Amino acid sequence: MKDFNYCNPTKIVFGKESLDELPLLLEGYNNILLVCDKGACQANDLVNKIESLLPEKQLFIVDSISPNPDVADCETIIESVKSAEIDFILAVGGGSIIDASKFIGSALSSPVERYWDLMVDNSLITSVLPIGVICTLPATGSEANPNMVITNNDIQSKVAADSELLFPRFAIMNPMYTLTLPQKQTAYGVVDAFVHVLEQYLTTVEYAPLQDRQSEAVMSTLLECGPHLLNNPNDYELRATIMWAAQAAHNGLIACGVAQDWATHRIGHALTALYNIPHAPTLAIVLPELLAYTKADKHDKILQLGERVFQLRCGAQDDPNTVVNEVIRLISGFFKEMGVNDNIFEFIDPNESETVVDCVVAQFNGQTLGERKKLDQNCIKQIMANVLIRD
Ligand code: NZQ
Ligand code: ZN
């Protein structure tokens, strides 16, 4: 097991009555910036509910953040509240709203010349306003993790940053709010969470049996309950299970003591920055080809995944390579079952296909990716070339 530090300070308040705790959670804070997802708030009447719970507080309400939050939209909000002496940021939405709130909280508190620099050099995040979350979309785990992902459309760049200062103080998680999610967003969330686990599990072989089994439990839960939820979207227990699983997938616990990959996410972010492809489909597009390309390195872990999560037996008479290929096929099959499109041509113009590979590779500027930092420009080129010729 590798050495690690672990501290997750986010208080989770989970369940149907969780919003009632908001006044207590915000005790002592007076000038609150409410960063809202418009659709989620309207569908659940959340702004009215929050206002009536906090009659004494000064609320500054903004709802102008779009999915894959753009730094320019965040900057507009930062400038508009700069002199308001905001002392708390309450994010009401999914990953985009939470990440934008983390960015705004960093920018309002860390002295930098250009706010984007906070994404380029994480050490510039020296202070962050306290943040709380009302989670409306189980997917990213941002409600209880120290990460944020912000896009800069001017330079076609989508970057992840992390700092311990970015952990939210609390996350109110009421599965009832997720009943209003469109089927597509529900499915995207399940697939995103599943890939988060894979990026921390399908790496090097460590002696970390507890972490492996924690990861396997989260994946098995998503595989079992994800499709079930699509057929029963109003089932509270399934909504609650997916909400808890998505949080468990990316709150730092399963990452303890093991190597992490994140190459699929990095290439996925490049595809979003370049072609505005939503986050989960980028993962469904990239992951199968990335696994096919790296399967020799990941061989033993893929076999373990096959045996423990997909119940595939690899007996003495079986060819392990055939089993590995079958596991990759089953992962792809799960994305399809969830209805998440894994065909890049559903999102890009066929005319762009000649330049896709070079544009993606250019995003990495010589960096190497993966748990072994082995995926160089040529490897990324090959993976993307395979993405383009996949049936
Ligand atoms: O536009 P409206 O109609 O408001 O629809 C919203 C939103 O646009 C809808 N929605 C959310 N909650 C709803 C709801 N609709 C009805 N009822 C509700 N309860 O969902 C749309 C998508 O929301 P978004 O926040 O963009 O989705 P998600 O939570 O998947 O977040 C994606 C962003 O998070 C980043 C992604 O890259 C992307 O930018 N990620 C953040 C991570 C992190 N901070 O740790 C890790 C992830 O890997 C990911 O990269
Ligand atoms: Zn993700």
Side-chain angles (χ1 to χ4, degrees):
M1 200 183 301
K2 295 179 186 301
D3 294 353
F4 63 90
N5 284 5
Y6 178 71
C7 172
N8 188 321
T10 304
K11 174 173 183 169
I12 306 279
V13 185
F14 195 99
K16 289 179 185 164
E17 311 302 330
S18 49
L19 191 63
D20 294 349
E21 292 198 27
L22 190 61
L24 195 62
L25 292 163
L26 289 176
E27 219 170 52
Y29 298 107
N30 295 307
N31 289 342
I32 298 171
L33 176 64
L34 207 59
V35 184
C36 296
D37 181 296
K38 213 184 223 165
C41 285
Q42 276 172 2
N44 293 283
D45 196 25
L46 278 171
V47 173
N48 282 335
K49 287 178 185 162
I50 293 166
E51 281 177 332
S52 64
L53 281 167
L54 306 172
E56 309 292 324
K57 314 257 188 217
Q58 180 86 26
L59 301 178
F60 300 81
I61 302 172
V62 292
D63 61 6
S64 50
I65 294 294
S66 305
N68 308 309
D70 183 29
V71 67
D73 292 336
C74 296
E75 281 168 359
T76 306
I77 295 172
I78 294 161
E79 295 307 326
S80 73
V81 298
K82 223 172 176 174
S83 54
E85 298 187 0
I86 298 294
D87 57 11
F88 198 95
I89 302 182
L90 185 58
V92 190
S96 295
I97 296 296
I98 304 167
D99 289 359
S101 300
K102 289 175 175 178
F103 183 77
I104 294 166
S106 310
L108 285 172
S109 202
S110 302
V112 278
E113 254 171 49
R114 288 183 322 153
Y115 299 131
W116 180 247
D117 292 344
L118 295 164
M119 300 305 297
V120 179
D121 178 357
N122 296 182
S123 72
L124 295 174
I125 306 171
T126 50
S127 170
V128 181
L129 285 180
I131 292 163
V133 173
I134 298 175
C135 182
T136 66
L137 201 180
T140 64
S142 187
E143 63 274 13
N145 77 26
N147 310 110
M148 61 178 170
V149 184
I150 300 293
T151 299
N152 186 332
N153 283 315
D154 281 350
I155 56 169
Q156 290 192 306
S157 179
K158 185 179 185 191
V159 179
D162 69 276
S163 159
E164 283 184 12
L165 299 168
L166 293 172
F167 274 109
R169 301 288 168 103
F170 63 80
I172 290 177
M173 303 181 73
N174 182 344
M176 294 299 288
Y177 302 152
T178 70
L179 293 174
T180 58
L181 278 168
Q183 170 160 323
K184 191 169 79 175
Q185 292 297 344
T186 300
Y188 282 0
V190 171
V191 164
D192 189 21
F194 188 81
V195 178
H196 292 158
V197 184
L198 281 186
E199 298 253 41
Q200 299 163 89
Y201 174 87
L202 281 186
T203 60
T204 55
V205 178
E206 306 286 339
Y207 187 74
L210 175 62
Q211 294 90 318
D212 278 359
R213 289 197 168 84
Q214 286 169 325
S215 292
E216 288 153 6
V218 179
M219 286 187 286
S220 301
T221 304
L222 293 166
L223 281 168
E224 179 186 309
C225 298
H228 209 160
L229 178 56
L230 292 189
N231 294 324
N232 303 277
N234 295 324
D235 186 314
Y236 177 83
E237 297 301 335
L238 288 172
R239 288 281 180 196
T241 302
I242 293 297
M243 197 167 210
W244 192 230
Q247 183 277 148
H250 200 5
N251 69 4
L253 188 63
I254 61 172
C256 291
V258 300
Q260 299 180 51
D261 182 342
W262 299 114
T264 297
H265 267 72
R266 296 287 306 278
I267 300 173
H269 289 339
L271 287 174
T272 303
L274 291 163
Y275 307 107
N276 204 21
I277 305 177
H279 180 55
T282 67
L283 308 175
I285 288 167
V286 174
L287 184 77
E289 294 308 331
L290 183 127
L291 290 182
Y293 189 83
T294 55
K295 64 186 176 186
D297 281 340
K298 294 179 185 289
H299 183 272
D300 292 354
K301 256 346 221 330
I302 296 177
L303 284 182
Q304 182 175 309
L305 175 72
E307 188 180 326
R308 295 192 186 170
V309 175
F310 289 104
Q311 275 79 49
L312 291 180
R313 291 273 159 259
C314 184
Q317 72 287 6
D318 297 317
D319 173 6
N321 294 323
T322 308
V323 179
V324 164
N325 291 338
E326 178 63 4
V327 176
I328 298 172
R329 201 188 61 76
L330 287 168
I331 293 170
S332 270
F334 175 54
F335 299 157
K336 288 189 170 64
E337 190 182 3
M338 293 305 295
V340 175
N341 211 314
D342 60 359
N343 181 347
I344 195 167
F345 292 108
E346 293 291 326
F347 301 96
I348 66 167
D349 190 315
N351 294 330
E352 290 175 305
S353 67
E354 282 178 20
T355 52
V356 171
V357 175
D358 288 341
C359 289
V360 169
V361 169
Q363 291 259 326
F364 296 102
N365 197 19
Q367 295 169 52
T368 52
L369 310 183
E371 69 275 11
R372 293 174 173 80
K373 295 278 170 272
K374 262 174 65 173
L375 298 180
D376 61 12
Q377 294 206 358
N378 285 333
C379 307
I380 299 169
K381 216 176 221 176
Q382 193 55 56
I383 291 166
M384 282 310 303
N386 294 342
V387 160
L388 294 176
I389 57 171
R390 194 161 82 224
D391 306 332

